[in-house]
Amino acid sequence: MSFVRINGTLLHYRLVGPEGAPALVFVNSLGTDARIWDEVIAALSETHSCLSYDKRGHGLSDAPDGDYALDDHLDDLAGVLDHAGIERAVLVGVSVGGLISEGFALRHPERVAGLVLCCTAPRMGDTAMWTARIETARSRGLEPMVDAVMERWFSPGFRAKRPVELAGWRNLFLRTDPQGYANTCATLRDTDLTTAIAGITAPALIVAGSADLAAPVDLVRSGLAIPGARLEVIEGVGHIPSIEQPGILVGLIQNFLKEVGHG
Ligand SMILES: O=C(O)CCC(=O)CC(=O)O
């Protein structure tokens, strides 16, 4: 576990794998932290230097007050990469982490060797939906929404067959700072990269889960506006494939890394 302060905000990150190996950077989703990548990183860190971090408002990172702009997340990510000595990487982002990855590829094209965009889209939800969620989180915390969130995150099969793990991930969500959660919902409320992603020059693999209720396959398809991007759909999986089917996700990432010549 390592920590760094970027522009006053403390961020928690982990860097594992062979020193000097091609880098992979993992960006987590709303209401989760870097632990969602553990099984994927266990496999990929044999060959790659893997950096994961808790984005602001989540995990062991600070949760500063006020709405977070996409630019705040991009500054954080650039700061963590600079601190870790990573010049260029393939970014693997899920949901809002995918949006952050797209934004980073637009701002720093020279630093992005490729994008793996899981269960995400350049515009997720709408203003009314995020405004309502922000209001709930700020006034009543995360408890009122936990059951609905678990249904969006995990397929019916996962929820039925893996109740103990489900209980653990439920705890992760409930222990997220409600203000950090709400402030990150503001990023989703205010970010629309629908037009901008046509300007991404990095190669992109887009991954969807057929049972994802937070980012349904048809929404995820909108990411194909990235030139040359291709889509893979993991059958029967919900919003967080790194938890439900880490082995399948690892295989997809490994094929993509070969295609783009990144280790
Ligand atoms: O997961 C994200 O980063 C945002 C999408 C979302 O709303 C997830 C959820 O269902 O809570």
Side-chain angles (χ1 to χ4, degrees), residues 30-45:
L30 179 66
T32 69
D33 65 27
R35 287 174 287 190
I36 61 168
W37 301 110
D38 280 357
E39 290 195 47
V40 169
I41 289 176
L44 293 174
S45 59

Side-chain angles (χ1 to χ4, degrees), residues 29-30 94-96 124 129-130 133 149 152-153 181 188 214 239:
S29 57
L30 179 66
V94 61
S95 204
V96 70
M124 298 190 64
M129 169 192 144
W130 293 118
R133 237 200 262 193
V149 169
R152 291 195 297 268
W153 281 11
Y181 182 90
L188 285 150
H239 191 53

Side-chain angles (χ1 to χ4, degrees), residues 2-263:
S2 304
F3 297 89
V4 60
R5 207 175 277 286
I6 306 295
N7 303 324
T9 299
L10 186 80
L11 296 174
H12 163 236
Y13 73 95
R14 291 187 279 182
L15 182 60
V16 294
E19 210 176 308
L24 305 178
V25 174
F26 295 84
V27 193
N28 62 297
S29 57
L30 179 66
T32 69
D33 65 27
R35 287 174 287 190
I36 61 168
W37 301 110
D38 280 357
E39 290 195 47
V40 169
I41 289 176
L44 293 174
S45 59
E46 288 177 18
T47 52
H48 287 75
S49 174
C50 294
L51 184 140
S52 53
Y53 72 108
D54 299 337
K55 68 179 178 304
R56 59 172 52 213
H58 291 77
L60 299 181
S61 294
D62 276 353
D65 289 339
D67 296 350
Y68 305 155
L70 181 65
D71 277 337
D72 295 323
H73 294 288
L74 303 186
D75 291 343
D76 291 348
L77 180 51
V80 174
L81 296 190
D82 289 345
H83 176 78
I86 295 175
E87 267 303 309
R88 187 171 155 81
V90 165
L91 306 184
V92 184
V94 61
S95 204
V96 70
L99 262 183
I100 293 168
S101 303
E102 290 172 345
F104 196 82
L106 287 163
R107 198 208 263 188
H108 301 285
E110 73 292 350
R111 301 191 75 165
V112 179
L115 293 169
V116 180
L117 302 169
C118 304
C119 304
T120 190
R123 174 62 175 157
M124 298 190 64
D126 57 34
T127 302
M129 169 192 144
W130 293 118
T131 302
R133 237 200 262 193
I134 291 166
E135 163 61 20
T136 302
R138 288 193 176 143
S139 60
R140 297 162 61 208
L142 301 188
E143 183 73 48
M145 59 181 99
V146 63
D147 291 333
V149 169
M150 291 303 112
E151 287 183 11
R152 291 195 297 268
W153 281 11
F154 297 115
S155 67
F158 180 93
R159 284 183 275 124
K161 291 186 195 132
R162 295 162 67 178
V164 175
E165 286 167 77
L166 177 66
W169 296 115
R170 194 175 195 278
N171 279 350
L172 173 72
F173 176 76
L174 286 173
R175 289 171 194 177
T176 302
D177 182 311
Q179 301 309 324
Y181 182 90
N183 300 344
T184 309
C185 289
T187 314
L188 285 150
R189 181 196 62 203
D190 299 340
T191 303
D192 183 352
L193 298 179
T194 304
T195 307
I197 60 168
I200 290 179
T201 52
L205 168 67
I206 296 172
V207 178
S210 73
D212 183 356
L213 301 182
V217 179
D218 278 346
L219 178 68
V220 173
R221 239 182 257 288
S222 58
L224 290 171
I226 298 173
R230 70 178 169 83
L231 173 70
E232 295 277 357
V233 179
I234 307 180
E235 288 305 320
V237 161
H239 191 53
I240 314 184
S242 60
I243 293 175
E244 270 197 56
Q245 286 290 356
I248 294 178
L249 183 59
V250 165
L252 293 175
I253 294 173
Q254 284 170 329
N255 288 342
F256 178 71
L257 293 173
K258 277 190 208 126
E259 276 168 33
V260 302
H262 193 70

